[in-house]
Amino acid sequence: MAKKLVIKVTAGADAPERCSQAFTVAAVAVASGVDVSLWLTGESSWFALPGRAAEFELPHAAPLPDLLDSIMSAGRITLCTQCAARRDITEEDVIQGVRIAGAQVFVQEAMADGTQALVY
């Protein structure tokens, strides 16, 4: 089993099931003791902002704020640099603990030994 899981989520409210699946897998992995790095890209970028996860609804799915809190408790959440810029999101805007980083950092994480990468 991989020692680290890197998950890139590209979907937000535009594809709620795919979005929810990414957050659910990340939260379950964290709860299982896996080192998780969740990357918010595309429409999921909005969930780096305070209160935005609470606006997300999907029947029969765990609440996104709960999943986000679970992931942040022992994992890392990163907002894509370009995605943030396209949405005028700055480091001052994001939830405390969310970092903004670019493709170079994503590639480094995804290519590290013992790492499994998933994209939703």
Side-chain angles (χ1 to χ4, degrees):
M1 184 164 128
K3 295 179 182 172
K4 185 169 185 176
L5 182 59
V6 177
I7 299 173
K8 179 186 271 194
V9 56
T10 62
D14 60 326
E17 287 184 298
R18 194 160 30 108
C19 176
S20 180
Q21 289 169 0
F23 278 85
T24 300
V25 168
V28 168
V30 166
S32 299
V34 177
D35 182 4
V36 173
S37 177
L38 179 69
W39 282 72
L40 304 176
T41 67
E43 285 303 298
S44 72
S45 300
W46 297 112
F47 299 126
L49 298 175
R52 286 296 185 97
E55 297 172 7
F56 181 86
E57 292 184 14
L58 181 63
H60 310 291
L64 205 59
D66 294 349
L67 296 173
L68 190 61
D69 289 345
S70 176
I71 297 161
M72 290 189 74
S73 72
R76 174 184 299 131
I77 296 181
T78 305
L79 172 59
C80 164
T81 302
Q82 289 181 11
C83 299
R86 281 190 281 275
R87 290 159 180 82
D88 294 321
I89 300 172
T90 67
E91 289 185 8
E92 292 78 32
D93 299 322
V94 300
I95 298 167
Q96 185 176 357
V98 172
R99 71 176 175 166
I100 297 177
Q104 179 183 5
V105 176
F106 176 79
V107 171
Q108 287 175 340
E109 285 188 11
M111 298 305 297
D113 288 338
T115 300
Q116 174 69 50
L118 302 173
V119 177
Y120 286 87

